[in-house]
PDB file of all heavy atoms in Angstrom:
ATOM      1  N   CYS S  17     -47.858-110.677 289.216  1.00 99.00           N
ATOM      2  CA  CYS S  17     -47.917-111.374 287.912  1.00 99.00           C
ATOM      3  C   CYS S  17     -47.473-112.816 288.121  1.00 99.00           C
ATOM      4  O   CYS S  17     -47.024-113.178 289.245  1.00 99.00           O
ATOM      5  CB  CYS S  17     -46.930-110.683 286.977  1.00 99.00           C
ATOM      6  SG  CYS S  17     -45.275-110.771 287.611  1.00 99.00           S
ATOM      7  N   VAL S  20     -43.746-113.258 289.310  1.00 99.00           N
ATOM      8  CA  VAL S  20     -43.494-112.897 290.726  1.00 99.00           C
ATOM      9  C   VAL S  20     -44.045-114.021 291.631  1.00 99.00           C
ATOM     10  O   VAL S  20     -43.378-114.433 292.563  1.00 99.00           O
ATOM     11  CB  VAL S  20     -44.167-111.534 291.033  1.00 99.00           C
ATOM     12  CG1 VAL S  20     -44.313-111.325 292.515  1.00 99.00           C
ATOM     13  CG2 VAL S  20     -43.338-110.399 290.382  1.00 99.00           C
ATOM     14  N   VAL S  45     -38.048-110.375 294.295  1.00 99.00           N
ATOM     15  CA  VAL S  45     -38.795-109.395 293.485  1.00 99.00           C
ATOM     16  C   VAL S  45     -38.606-108.070 294.211  1.00 99.00           C
ATOM     17  O   VAL S  45     -38.287-108.027 295.387  1.00 99.00           O
ATOM     18  CB  VAL S  45     -40.311-109.710 293.332  1.00 99.00           C
ATOM     19  CG1 VAL S  45     -40.484-111.072 292.629  1.00 99.00           C
ATOM     20  CG2 VAL S  45     -41.010-109.736 294.686  1.00 99.00           C
ATOM     21  N   HIS S  46     -38.839-106.969 293.479  1.00 98.00           N
ATOM     22  CA  HIS S  46     -38.544-105.649 294.045  1.00 98.00           C
ATOM     23  C   HIS S  46     -39.657-105.161 294.978  1.00 98.00           C
ATOM     24  O   HIS S  46     -40.390-104.251 294.657  1.00 98.00           O
ATOM     25  CB  HIS S  46     -38.275-104.624 292.932  1.00 98.00           C
ATOM     26  CG  HIS S  46     -37.001-104.876 292.228  1.00 98.00           C
ATOM     27  ND1 HIS S  46     -36.814-104.579 290.894  1.00 98.00           N
ATOM     28  CD2 HIS S  46     -35.816-105.347 292.689  1.00 98.00           C
ATOM     29  CE1 HIS S  46     -35.567-104.899 290.553  1.00 98.00           C
ATOM     30  NE2 HIS S  46     -34.962-105.358 291.590  1.00 98.00           N
ATOM     31  N   ALA S  78     -36.088-113.113 290.165  1.00 99.00           N
ATOM     32  CA  ALA S  78     -36.987-113.155 288.989  1.00 99.00           C
ATOM     33  C   ALA S  78     -36.469-112.338 287.812  1.00 99.00           C
ATOM     34  O   ALA S  78     -36.859-112.560 286.638  1.00 99.00           O
ATOM     35  CB  ALA S  78     -38.351-112.600 289.389  1.00 99.00           C
ATOM     36  N   HIS S  79     -35.510-111.400 288.090  1.00 99.00           N
ATOM     37  CA  HIS S  79     -35.070-110.486 287.029  1.00 99.00           C
ATOM     38  C   HIS S  79     -34.030-111.105 286.111  1.00 99.00           C
ATOM     39  O   HIS S  79     -33.723-110.539 285.059  1.00 99.00           O
ATOM     40  CB  HIS S  79     -34.499-109.220 287.667  1.00 99.00           C
ATOM     41  CG  HIS S  79     -35.377-108.760 288.815  1.00 99.00           C
ATOM     42  ND1 HIS S  79     -35.148-109.124 290.122  1.00 99.00           N
ATOM     43  CD2 HIS S  79     -36.505-108.039 288.841  1.00 99.00           C
ATOM     44  CE1 HIS S  79     -36.102-108.617 290.893  1.00 99.00           C
ATOM     45  NE2 HIS S  79     -36.949-107.949 290.166  1.00 99.00           N
ATOM     46  N   CYS S 101     -37.902-115.172 285.701  1.00 99.00           N
ATOM     47  CA  CYS S 101     -39.221-115.275 285.067  1.00 99.00           C
ATOM     48  C   CYS S 101     -39.064-115.935 283.683  1.00 99.00           C
ATOM     49  O   CYS S 101     -38.183-115.498 282.882  1.00 99.00           O
ATOM     50  CB  CYS S 101     -39.914-113.939 284.921  1.00 99.00           C
ATOM     51  SG  CYS S 101     -41.469-114.049 284.018  1.00 99.00           S
ATOM     52  N   VAL S 104     -38.524-113.561 280.905  1.00 99.00           N
ATOM     53  CA  VAL S 104     -37.165-112.981 280.835  1.00 99.00           C
ATOM     54  C   VAL S 104     -36.242-113.983 280.152  1.00 99.00           C
ATOM     55  O   VAL S 104     -35.444-113.620 279.292  1.00 99.00           O
ATOM     56  CB  VAL S 104     -36.667-112.496 282.211  1.00 99.00           C
ATOM     57  CG1 VAL S 104     -35.251-112.042 282.145  1.00 99.00           C
ATOM     58  CG2 VAL S 104     -37.587-111.404 282.839  1.00 99.00           C
ATOM     59  N   HIS S 129     -30.185-101.731 285.738  1.00 98.00           N
ATOM     60  CA  HIS S 129     -31.282-102.533 286.242  1.00 98.00           C
ATOM     61  C   HIS S 129     -30.886-104.002 286.114  1.00 98.00           C
ATOM     62  O   HIS S 129     -30.325-104.420 285.102  1.00 98.00           O
ATOM     63  CB  HIS S 129     -32.572-102.294 285.433  1.00 98.00           C
ATOM     64  CG  HIS S 129     -33.771-102.977 286.033  1.00 98.00           C
ATOM     65  ND1 HIS S 129     -34.011-104.318 285.829  1.00 98.00           N
ATOM     66  CD2 HIS S 129     -34.762-102.525 286.827  1.00 98.00           C
ATOM     67  CE1 HIS S 129     -35.118-104.642 286.465  1.00 98.00           C
ATOM     68  NE2 HIS S 129     -35.575-103.575 287.061  1.00 98.00           N
ATOM     69  N   GLU S 131     -32.359-106.715 285.417  1.00 99.00           N
ATOM     70  CA  GLU S 131     -32.791-107.447 284.222  1.00 99.00           C
ATOM     71  C   GLU S 131     -31.929-107.133 283.015  1.00 99.00           C
ATOM     72  O   GLU S 131     -31.546-108.009 282.233  1.00 99.00           O
ATOM     73  CB  GLU S 131     -34.295-107.202 283.913  1.00 99.00           C
ATOM     74  CG  GLU S 131     -34.736-108.075 282.732  1.00 99.00           C
ATOM     75  CD  GLU S 131     -36.176-107.784 282.328  1.00 99.00           C
ATOM     76  OE1 GLU S 131     -37.032-107.432 283.191  1.00 99.00           O
ATOM     77  OE2 GLU S 131     -36.476-107.929 281.126  1.00 99.00           O
ATOM     78  N   GLN S 169     -36.003-104.893 277.650  1.00 98.00           N
ATOM     79  CA  GLN S 169     -36.398-105.226 279.024  1.00 98.00           C
ATOM     80  C   GLN S 169     -37.917-105.509 278.983  1.00 98.00           C
ATOM     81  O   GLN S 169     -38.623-104.977 278.144  1.00 98.00           O
ATOM     82  CB  GLN S 169     -36.048-104.033 279.909  1.00 98.00           C
ATOM     83  CG  GLN S 169     -35.791-104.331 281.371  1.00 98.00           C
ATOM     84  CD  GLN S 169     -35.380-103.054 282.085  1.00 98.00           C
ATOM     85  OE1 GLN S 169     -34.519-102.323 281.648  1.00 98.00           O
ATOM     86  NE2 GLN S 169     -35.954-102.812 283.255  1.00 98.00           N
ATOM     87  N   THR S 170     -38.387-106.342 279.914  1.00 98.00           N
ATOM     88  CA  THR S 170     -39.797-106.710 279.888  1.00 98.00           C
ATOM     89  C   THR S 170     -40.756-105.727 280.563  1.00 98.00           C
ATOM     90  O   THR S 170     -41.972-105.850 280.456  1.00 98.00           O
ATOM     91  CB  THR S 170     -40.029-108.087 280.571  1.00 98.00           C
ATOM     92  OG1 THR S 170     -39.524-107.954 281.910  1.00 98.00           O
ATOM     93  CG2 THR S 170     -39.302-109.192 279.857  1.00 98.00           C
ATOM     94  N   THR S 171     -40.189-104.762 281.289  1.00 98.00           N
ATOM     95  CA  THR S 171     -41.019-103.914 282.168  1.00 98.00           C
ATOM     96  C   THR S 171     -40.974-102.443 281.750  1.00 98.00           C
ATOM     97  O   THR S 171     -41.177-101.575 282.623  1.00 98.00           O
ATOM     98  CB  THR S 171     -40.554-104.070 283.631  1.00 98.00           C
ATOM     99  OG1 THR S 171     -39.164-103.831 283.671  1.00 98.00           O
ATOM    100  CG2 THR S 171     -40.860-105.416 284.212  1.00 98.00           C
ATOM    101  N   ASN S 227     -37.554 -99.142 293.619  1.00 98.00           N
ATOM    102  CA  ASN S 227     -36.672 -99.815 292.720  1.00 98.00           C
ATOM    103  C   ASN S 227     -37.396-100.777 291.721  1.00 98.00           C
ATOM    104  O   ASN S 227     -36.744-101.543 291.006  1.00 98.00           O
ATOM    105  CB  ASN S 227     -35.545-100.585 293.456  1.00 98.00           C
ATOM    106  CG  ASN S 227     -36.108-101.650 294.386  1.00 98.00           C
ATOM    107  OD1 ASN S 227     -37.270-101.596 294.760  1.00 98.00           O
ATOM    108  ND2 ASN S 227     -35.281-102.612 294.790  1.00 98.00           N
ATOM    109  N   SER S 228     -38.708-100.699 291.683  1.00 98.00           N
ATOM    110  CA  SER S 228     -39.477-101.557 290.804  1.00 98.00           C
ATOM    111  C   SER S 228     -39.769-100.828 289.504  1.00 98.00           C
ATOM    112  O   SER S 228     -40.564 -99.893 289.455  1.00 98.00           O
ATOM    113  CB  SER S 228     -40.796-101.947 291.475  1.00 98.00           C
ATOM    114  OG  SER S 228     -41.652-102.478 290.559  1.00 98.00           O
ATOM    115  N   SER S 229     -39.112-101.272 288.421  1.00 98.00           N
ATOM    116  CA  SER S 229     -39.236-100.595 287.116  1.00 98.00           C
ATOM    117  C   SER S 229     -40.694-100.591 286.655  1.00 98.00           C
ATOM    118  O   SER S 229     -41.220 -99.534 286.292  1.00 98.00           O
ATOM    119  CB  SER S 229     -38.357-101.366 286.126  1.00 98.00           C
ATOM    120  OG  SER S 229     -38.647-100.952 284.826  1.00 98.00           O
ATOM    121  N   ASN S 230     -41.364-101.732 286.707  1.00 98.00           N
ATOM    122  CA  ASN S 230     -42.723-101.744 286.159  1.00 98.00           C
ATOM    123  C   ASN S 230     -43.682-100.849 286.973  1.00 98.00           C
ATOM    124  O   ASN S 230     -44.557-100.234 286.399  1.00 98.00           O
ATOM    125  CB  ASN S 230     -43.233-103.189 286.026  1.00 98.00           C
ATOM    126  CG  ASN S 230     -43.707-103.750 287.371  1.00 98.00           C
ATOM    127  OD1 ASN S 230     -44.853-103.579 287.739  1.00 98.00           O
ATOM    128  ND2 ASN S 230     -42.809-104.434 288.087  1.00 98.00           N
ATOM    129  N   SER S 231     -43.425-100.751 288.274  1.00 99.00           N
ATOM    130  CA  SER S 231     -44.277 -99.897 289.130  1.00 99.00           C
ATOM    131  C   SER S 231     -44.055 -98.424 288.798  1.00 99.00           C
ATOM    132  O   SER S 231     -45.013 -97.633 288.646  1.00 99.00           O
ATOM    133  CB  SER S 231     -43.973-100.094 290.603  1.00 99.00           C
ATOM    134  OG  SER S 231     -44.051-101.482 290.936  1.00 99.00           O
ATOM    135  N   ALA S 272     -46.290-105.190 289.509  1.00 99.00           N
ATOM    136  CA  ALA S 272     -46.327-106.661 289.461  1.00 99.00           C
ATOM    137  C   ALA S 272     -45.686-107.346 290.687  1.00 99.00           C
ATOM    138  O   ALA S 272     -45.846-108.541 290.902  1.00 99.00           O
ATOM    139  CB  ALA S 272     -45.635-107.127 288.201  1.00 99.00           C
ATOM    140  N   SER S 273     -44.949-106.548 291.489  1.00 98.00           N
ATOM    141  CA  SER S 273     -44.307-107.155 292.656  1.00 98.00           C
ATOM    142  C   SER S 273     -44.941-106.725 293.984  1.00 98.00           C
ATOM    143  O   SER S 273     -44.409-107.003 295.042  1.00 98.00           O
ATOM    144  CB  SER S 273     -42.798-106.762 292.656  1.00 98.00           C
ATOM    145  OG  SER S 273     -42.654-105.379 292.369  1.00 98.00           O
TER     146      SER S 273
HETATM  147  O1  0CM V 426     -38.191-105.375 286.683  1.00 88.93           O
HETATM  148  P1  0CM V 426     -38.892-104.682 287.841  1.00 88.93           P
HETATM  149  O2  0CM V 426     -37.968-103.684 288.525  1.00 88.93           O
HETATM  150  O3  0CM V 426     -40.220-104.129 287.467  1.00 88.93           O
HETATM  151  O4  0CM V 426     -39.096-105.878 288.860  1.00 88.93           O
HETATM  152  P2  0CM V 426     -40.180-106.180 289.985  1.00 88.93           P
HETATM  153  O5  0CM V 426     -39.587-107.147 290.941  1.00 88.93           O
HETATM  154  O6  0CM V 426     -40.751-104.963 290.600  1.00 88.93           O
HETATM  155  O7  0CM V 426     -41.340-106.845 289.178  1.00 88.93           O
HETATM  156  C1  0CM V 426     -41.352-108.134 288.703  1.00 88.93           C
HETATM  157  C2  0CM V 426     -40.423-108.532 287.741  1.00 88.93           C
HETATM  158  C3  0CM V 426     -39.607-108.893 286.942  1.00 88.93           C
HETATM  159  C4  0CM V 426     -38.657-109.401 286.040  1.00 88.93           C
END
Side-chain angles (χ1 to χ4, degrees):
C17 60
V20 162
V45 299
H46 289 149
H79 317 94
C101 175
V104 174
H129 186 282
E131 184 183 329
Q169 206 176 313
T170 58
T171 52
N227 59 341
S228 167
S229 167
N230 79 87
S231 306
S273 45

